[in-house]
């Protein structure tokens, strides 16, 4: 089994870790990540309605299946020509987005009129999804540090007709300087991205445990800041596209141990790991969710939702 993971290009450290976490399933996960993911899109309800756009696309020969956790989400099963060259795409009636990435905004449930923070926003996939759930009402303060990624975000938000978002080119470690208290916060955290090996195969051998530790520490700092500016009773969704428990379950355990929060149940995905590498975590951690390439045909993804008490 380990030999097979090595032959797919995984470093010894990560092959052994994955084997320890998932046993024989590690190979199924790794093999699923060798195949390209289906191309999925989200209907932009700021510009159109779901039945209207799906009918238009069907007429042009596109076929698709609904993403179970998102009313507006679909994955293409037939794409006679690139959907990105259709007037529908160019006019912002849809956004190309991986299916698991559609879950954090749905889990956060932002409502029209609320004050929301998106602590790591670029290129704006989840920001624009939240804006459509909010019907462009209320405010999203969207932070990112990547200058080029922010330019792309600005173009995306403008193509999609998002008007309730303030883009801030700054680390969200400074979010408290705004002097705003938020109803809801999304932290789609910077991470090692080991769940996106389909797109980034170099990550199989290129990542180290130092990278994992660096991301873990940054995520903890961001969560601490986020929780400090969240209203009491407000909710925060923390997500990553990493497979590593140090970035997901261990960070969540640290949040539960150090802050006055409650973990809220989520409906989709598999329960998060409660005994990764034999380390016993709180049983409630299972309420956080994992998406897997072999089972959900998505990136490897982690989502948790907490309420500030
Ligand atoms: N939420 C985005 C979406 O759905 O389109 C994807 C976000 S990506 C997973 C993580 C982002 O975190 C990157 O764009 C990166 O530039 C940003 N980032 C890294 N460190 C940051 C920090 N200290 N403050 C704000 N953003 C940061």
């Amino acid at each position: 089994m380990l030999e097979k993971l090595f032959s797919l290009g995984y470093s010894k450290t990560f092959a052994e870790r994955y084997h320890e976490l998932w046993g024989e399933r590690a190979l199924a996960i790794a093999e699923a990540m060798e195949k390209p993911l289906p191309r999925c899109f989200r209907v932009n309800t700021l510009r159109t309605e779901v039945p209207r756009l799906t009918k238009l696309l069907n007429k042009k020969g596109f076929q698709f299946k609904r993403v179970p956790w998102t009313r507006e989400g679909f994955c293409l099963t037939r794409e006679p020509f690139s959907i990105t060259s259709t007037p529908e795409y160019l006019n912002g009636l849809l956004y190309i987005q991986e299916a698991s990435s559609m879950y954090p905004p749905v889990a956060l449930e932002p409502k029209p009129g609320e004050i929301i923070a998106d602590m790591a926003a670029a290129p704006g996939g989840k920001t624009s999804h939240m804006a459509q759930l909010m019907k462009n009402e209320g405010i999203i303060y969207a932070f990112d540090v990547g200058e080029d990624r922010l330019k792309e975000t600005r173009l995306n938000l403008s193509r999609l007709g998002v008007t309730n978002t303030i883009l801030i080119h700054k680390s969200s470690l400074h979010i408290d300087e705004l002097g705003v208290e938020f109803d809801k916060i999304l932290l789609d955290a910077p991470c090692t991205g080991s769940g996106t090996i389909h797109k980034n195969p170099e990550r199989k051998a290129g990542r180290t445990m130092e990278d994992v530790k660096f991301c873990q520490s940054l995520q903890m700092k961001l969560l601490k800041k986020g929780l400090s500016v969240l209203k009491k009773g407000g909710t925060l969704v923390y997500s990553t596209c990493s497979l590593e428990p140090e970035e997901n379950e261990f960070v969540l355990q640290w949040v539960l141990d150090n802050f006055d929060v409650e973990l809220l149940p989520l409906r989709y995905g598999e329960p998060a790991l409660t005994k990764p590498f034999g380390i016993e975590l709180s049983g409630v951690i299972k309420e956080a969710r994992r998406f897997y390439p072999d089972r959900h045909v998505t990136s490897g993804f982690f989502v948790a939702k907490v309420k500030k008490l």
Side-chain angles (χ1 to χ4, degrees):
M1 226 270 338
L2 279 177
E3 288 305 321
K4 284 192 184 153
L5 288 175
F6 298 151
S7 72
L8 288 176
Y10 286 85
S11 64
K12 187 170 181 296
T13 312
F14 284 87
E16 286 175 356
R17 281 165 58 79
Y18 294 163
H19 185 240
E20 197 179 341
L21 282 174
W22 297 298
E24 292 297 308
R25 188 184 178 190
L27 187 59
I29 294 173
E31 281 175 341
M33 283 213 270
E34 294 299 302
K35 298 180 198 134
L37 283 175
R39 194 177 224 190
C40 306
F41 65 92
R42 195 185 76 237
V43 179
N44 176 22
T45 52
L46 293 176
R47 291 234 192 264
T48 187
E49 285 152 15
V50 173
R52 191 154 167 259
L53 181 66
T54 50
K55 246 184 237 157
L56 269 173
L57 292 175
N58 281 151
K59 265 195 197 154
K60 294 185 178 181
F62 294 93
Q63 285 170 7
F64 28 79
K65 281 199 306 210
R66 187 166 231 145
V67 175
W69 43 88
T70 312
R71 229 195 106 248
E72 303 88 359
F74 298 87
C75 293
L76 288 158
T77 51
R78 184 166 185 273
E79 188 176 10
F81 56 95
S82 176
I83 196 166
T84 57
S85 60
T86 58
E88 288 76 17
Y89 173 83
L90 298 167
N91 287 323
L93 307 193
L94 62 98
Y95 183 80
I96 304 292
Q97 190 172 31
E98 202 277 307
S100 61
S101 283
M102 299 180 195
Y103 196 41
V106 170
L108 188 64
E109 299 178 273
K111 299 271 188 307
E114 288 182 333
I115 301 176
I116 308 287
D118 186 343
M119 294 182 71
K126 298 181 190 67
T127 318
S128 54
H129 194 175
M130 292 197 290
Q132 77 181 57
L133 295 173
M134 296 164 77
K135 301 185 171 31
N136 253 343
E137 291 164 23
I139 307 178
I140 305 175
Y141 292 88
F143 289 81
D144 208 283
V145 288
E147 192 166 352
D148 288 342
R149 287 172 69 84
L150 271 174
K151 283 185 192 147
E152 196 187 338
T153 311
R154 194 169 308 125
L155 291 175
N156 280 332
L157 297 187
S158 132
R159 187 174 59 82
L160 296 167
V162 172
T163 53
N164 70 342
T165 296
I166 301 171
L167 275 185
I168 302 170
H169 183 197
K170 199 167 194 161
S171 166
S172 51
L173 289 172
H174 296 281
I175 193 169
D176 50 334
E177 293 168 17
L178 274 179
V180 174
E181 275 207 312
F182 296 92
D183 295 306
K184 290 174 185 163
I185 296 182
L186 176 65
L187 175 63
D188 184 40
C191 69
T192 54
S194 49
T196 62
I197 277 168
H198 330 68
K199 285 190 297 186
N200 307 292
E202 71 288 351
R203 290 189 179 160
K204 288 189 265 192
R207 278 164 312 127
T208 62
M209 281 312 292
E210 280 67 46
D211 299 327
V212 174
K213 287 275 143 100
F214 173 81
C215 288
Q216 179 190 55
S217 152
L218 178 57
Q219 290 167 20
M220 285 171 164
K221 287 182 198 144
L222 289 166
L223 281 164
K224 184 174 179 189
K225 267 291 151 133
L227 287 168
S228 75
V229 291
L230 182 64
K231 283 183 188 163
K232 275 194 182 157
T235 50
L236 179 150
V237 165
Y238 158 59
S239 57
T240 78
C241 58
S242 166
L243 293 172
E244 315 309 321
E246 290 83 350
E247 292 177 72
N248 299 323
E249 286 87 353
F250 292 164
V251 170
L252 184 58
Q253 182 69 61
W254 172 82
V255 168
L256 297 180
D257 290 344
N258 290 283
F259 300 89
D260 198 11
V261 296
E262 175 193 0
L263 186 59
L264 299 178
L266 294 173
R267 176 160 171 216
Y268 292 97
E270 274 184 31
L273 306 172
T274 48
K275 212 177 169 189
F277 307 120
I279 299 167
E280 190 98 42
L281 303 177
S282 308
V284 287
I285 295 267
K286 69 177 187 314
E287 302 292 6
R289 297 279 139 170
R290 275 182 174 258
F291 290 82
Y292 288 103
D294 63 329
R295 167 130 180 235
H296 304 101
V297 200
T298 60
S299 295
F301 210 77
F302 178 87
V303 189
K305 179 176 186 179
V306 296
K307 179 177 177 181
K308 182 166 166 176
L309 300 175

